Amino acid sequence: MKYELVSGLETHVELSTNTKIFCSCSTEFGGEPNSHCCPVCLGFPGTLPTLNKRAVEYAIMAGLATNCEISNISKMDRKNYFYPDLPKAYQISQFDMPICKNGFIELSNGRKIRINHIHIEEDAGKLVHQNGNTYVDYNRGGVPLIEIVTEPDIRSSEETREYVEKLQLIMKYIGVSDCKMQEGSMRCDVNISVRPEGSEEYGTRTEIKNMNSITFMTKAIEYEYSRQIDVLENGGTITQETLRYNEQDNTTSSMRSKEDADDYRYFRDPDLVTIHVTDEEVDALRRSLPELPHVKRERYIAELGLPEADALQLAKSRAIAEFFEAACEGVANPKVVANCIIGQIFRRMENDDAKEKFEVSIPASYLRDLVLLLDSGKIRMNLLKTTLDKMLDSGKPAAEFLSENDLSGVDSDTLKKYCQEAVAANPNAVADYRAGKEKALKALLGNVMKASRGRADALEAERLLIELISE
Ligand code: ADP
Ligand code: MG
Ligand code: ZN
């Protein structure tokens, strides 16, 4: 029998507020264990939480960017469970009245992964296992989180990857989270079931907790998909349970049987007031959102005429996009700017992280001024490239490297002279060209460009060369 994968994700995203959700402690990652703590986030009896307004605004922005409805009224609930990473023995979360509902993220295959809701909650502390002991660090306790919960709409590990990457990109763009999976500021719980192809009903699911790498997520999904099919094919049934993924041998193993909402004894947190959000407040936040990555990408293709691959790379982070757009201002051909960024500038960046941060030694205006010289015919592409490298090396503007002579171009007599010299100096290339080897022309053209130090108009030079050797 053929089986279909059914998967839904619960993604925790740490919000990049400066302070925690219910107190004024720092949210900074790292730091001496238990140095970013106070009686509130340590859960001392008698303390009272105060909700961080910025956290609510960030959650709403995340909802708007993922096509959600924003609730005018929501509230905070207590999710009760006992574990040493949670000093109050309850986590403040949202149960039945989350801040955002009914959104979606669209994948490149046109499928929409529906978002059931986004709720706000506090992060727990971290257990550190060392030398046979377990230590607890509460620095992370009380850091604001949102949990983005999809419907079981995902059908393959590729779709999982794309969904998570899109979500990550959107959250980073709107500035609500840095979504660093290695640092745990984005973590996914992956729910997986299988069903016979064509079936409408969902099978029993398992849940793999706390995945912090997209690659391991896709591996875990594939493993769990085959494992469940094996169980069913051998006449067994799937037990609903919570699993952990073992990176070493790419398997899953049981952590505990699945708890139900009832087990948590959710109830409204009596220490916190109802969250009221007006339509005006939502509209103001909507207006504050930047252009989203997929909209940018489409615009680069439709308005600027860029190839899709270029648009994809330039919209990869806000820093790149902002540099690109600023460098394009008033420029005739944005493709030239795109080439400079994707070629020469990216080449100087060590890895994807560095590309994303996009720290360039020159401001975008320097690149624009350089490309404008090309537009006005003052310099040619070769000279643009060598000058850009010098600019990037030094952080200086084009004017530092281009003399009056460089900018004056090559007049037609001089160009003709260069072409004649090239023909005279390369009888072999000329003979090859006459024998039908069109490529030989490139060698001649190279000579002309060299003689003119890149200032010659390549098209005009090519025309002249052909004229000279065709007689
Ligand atoms: P819970 O409250 O127990 O966590 P939910 O109904 O809220 O359960 O679902 C949690 C996640 O599991 C959601 O992302 C949802 O899409 C996913 N999910 C629910 N049922 C299934 C299923 N049969 N197969 C795969 N994923 C599922
Ligand atoms: Mg769950
Ligand atoms: Zn605190």
Side-chain angles (χ1 to χ4, degrees):
M1 199 187 310
K2 282 204 107 183
Y3 289 89
E4 179 178 56
L5 171 80
V6 174
S7 173
L9 295 188
E10 297 160 283
T11 308
H12 287 97
V13 169
E14 260 181 17
L15 300 177
S16 27
T17 54
N18 295 324
T19 56
K20 292 187 179 180
I21 184 167
F22 299 122
C23 62
S24 53
C25 290
S26 164
T27 54
E28 209 181 319
F29 180 74
E32 273 292 295
N34 300 308
S35 61
H36 302 163
C37 300
C38 74
V40 174
C41 55
L42 289 173
F44 283 22
T47 56
L48 285 172
T50 319
L51 182 58
N52 182 337
K53 185 173 177 200
R54 199 82 196 118
V56 178
E57 289 171 347
Y58 277 178
I60 294 173
M61 286 161 72
L64 291 172
T66 51
N67 309 293
C68 287
E69 297 158 15
I70 310 303
S71 312
N72 293 115
I73 297 177
S74 66
K75 66 175 169 81
M76 306 303 301
D77 302 289
R78 291 187 181 178
K79 179 180 182 179
N80 299 280
Y81 68 92
F82 178 76
Y83 203 61
D85 64 1
L86 194 71
K88 299 192 295 293
Y90 62 83
Q91 178 192 30
I92 305 179
S93 179
Q94 291 191 303
F95 181 49
D96 52 350
M97 290 174 73
I99 187 88
C100 313
K101 285 182 291 201
N102 301 329
F104 66 86
I105 285 183
E106 188 169 345
L107 302 182
S108 54
N109 61 11
R111 296 197 60 239
K112 282 183 180 159
I113 307 302
R114 289 170 298 158
I115 291 170
N116 175 284
H117 74 267
I118 300 179
H119 67 255
I120 305 173
E121 62 187 28
E122 59 178 335
D123 210 343
K126 208 158 78 181
L127 296 186
V128 184
H129 306 280
Q130 238 167 41
N131 321 322
N133 294 318
T134 298
Y135 302 87
V136 61
D137 176 3
Y138 289 119
N139 281 353
R140 206 180 65 184
V143 169
L145 290 179
I146 49 174
E147 182 171 337
I148 303 158
V149 181
T150 75
E151 296 292 346
D153 286 349
I154 295 170
R155 294 288 173 270
S156 68
S157 56
E158 294 80 47
E159 286 191 353
T160 310
R161 173 182 287 279
E162 191 183 342
Y163 168 82
V164 177
E165 283 177 352
K166 283 218 153 123
L167 189 65
Q168 206 171 18
L169 187 61
I170 292 171
M171 295 302 142
K172 283 196 218 170
Y173 247 77
I174 64 174
V176 305
S177 175
D178 57 15
C179 288
K180 288 189 183 152
M181 289 191 102
Q182 11 17 302
E183 287 183 11
S185 59
M186 184 180 198
R187 322 187 278 274
C188 297
D189 298 343
V190 189
N191 296 271
I192 302 161
S193 65
V194 299
R195 63 179 175 190
E197 232 169 49
S199 157
E200 290 289 316
E201 271 163 58
Y202 293 134
T204 304
R205 72 171 195 265
T206 57
E207 175 173 10
I208 309 174
K209 280 272 182 214
N210 265 329
M211 305 240 40
N212 57 7
S213 135
I214 296 183
T215 303
F216 283 133
M217 263 169 80
T218 57
K219 284 191 182 167
I221 289 174
E222 279 157 25
Y223 172 82
E224 189 55 20
Y225 172 67
S226 326
R227 188 191 68 85
Q228 292 188 12
I229 293 175
D230 271 356
V231 171
L232 295 176
E233 290 282 284
N234 289 310
T237 48
I238 307 297
T239 329
Q240 183 166 344
E241 60 186 343
T242 303
L243 305 173
R244 92 160 51 80
Y245 175 71
N246 311 308
E247 293 175 6
Q248 290 76 23
D249 57 357
N250 182 36
T251 57
T252 56
S253 53
S254 184
M255 252 166 95
R256 54 175 187 254
S257 68
K258 170 87 182 128
E259 56 290 278
D260 276 322
D262 286 354
D263 301 335
Y264 291 120
R265 310 225 163 237
Y266 277 102
F267 66 91
R268 185 193 172 132
D269 192 310
D271 290 341
L272 286 156
V273 296
T274 305
I275 304 170
H276 290 275
V277 184
T278 65
D279 290 344
E280 290 70 37
E281 286 168 322
V282 173
D283 283 341
L285 289 169
R286 196 192 308 274
R287 284 193 302 273
S288 78
L289 289 180
E291 186 177 32
L292 293 178
H294 64 277
V295 181
K296 259 193 203 306
R297 208 163 51 230
E298 294 306 312
R299 185 166 61 81
Y300 290 172
I301 297 169
E303 280 178 24
L304 305 182
L306 291 188
E308 193 178 338
D310 288 14
L312 207 69
Q313 298 216 55
L314 295 169
K316 263 244 139 76
S317 83
R318 244 172 103 179
I320 304 172
E322 274 161 16
F323 188 97
F324 169 66
E325 287 174 29
C328 276
E329 231 156 273
V331 158
N333 188 355
K335 175 70 178 140
V336 175
V337 178
N339 288 350
C340 290
I341 292 176
I342 295 169
Q344 283 167 278
I345 300 184
F346 273 180
R347 206 170 302 132
R348 290 166 179 259
M349 305 192 157
E350 245 162 56
N351 49 32
D352 286 350
D353 262 1
K355 276 186 200 166
E356 213 180 284
K357 281 211 191 86
F358 207 66
E359 285 164 350
V360 188
S361 56
I362 55 165
S365 61
Y366 287 9
L367 176 58
R368 183 195 59 213
D369 292 345
L370 178 69
V371 176
L372 287 174
L373 291 174
L374 181 87
D375 283 350
S376 61
K378 292 216 166 101
I379 58 169
R380 303 291 162 204
M381 190 54 87
N382 278 1
L383 187 56
L384 179 140
K385 284 189 179 163
T386 50
T387 308
L388 178 57
D389 269 328
K390 290 180 195 160
M391 290 163 65
L392 292 168
D393 285 340
S394 64
K396 291 182 176 156
E400 294 279 322
F401 308 104
L402 296 170
S403 62
E404 285 297 313
N405 193 18
D406 287 324
L407 294 174
S408 64
V410 177
D411 63 61
S412 51
D413 285 346
T414 314
L415 183 61
K416 192 155 187 183
K417 188 179 90 165
Y418 289 149
C419 290
Q420 285 164 337
E421 284 168 3
V423 167
N426 296 281
N428 289 344
V430 174
D432 284 351
Y433 182 80
R434 288 187 175 140
K437 282 193 198 155
E438 301 223 338
K439 267 198 196 149
L441 196 67
K442 289 275 174 272
L444 297 172
L445 189 60
N447 272 268
V448 175
M449 295 317 285
K450 202 165 166 190
S452 69
R453 298 204 327 287
R455 292 170 302 140
D457 178 343
L459 277 179
E460 178 62 9
E462 203 172 303
R463 199 188 60 74
L464 273 172
L465 284 167
I466 294 175
E467 200 177 280
L468 283 170
I469 57 184
S470 296
E471 54 229 15

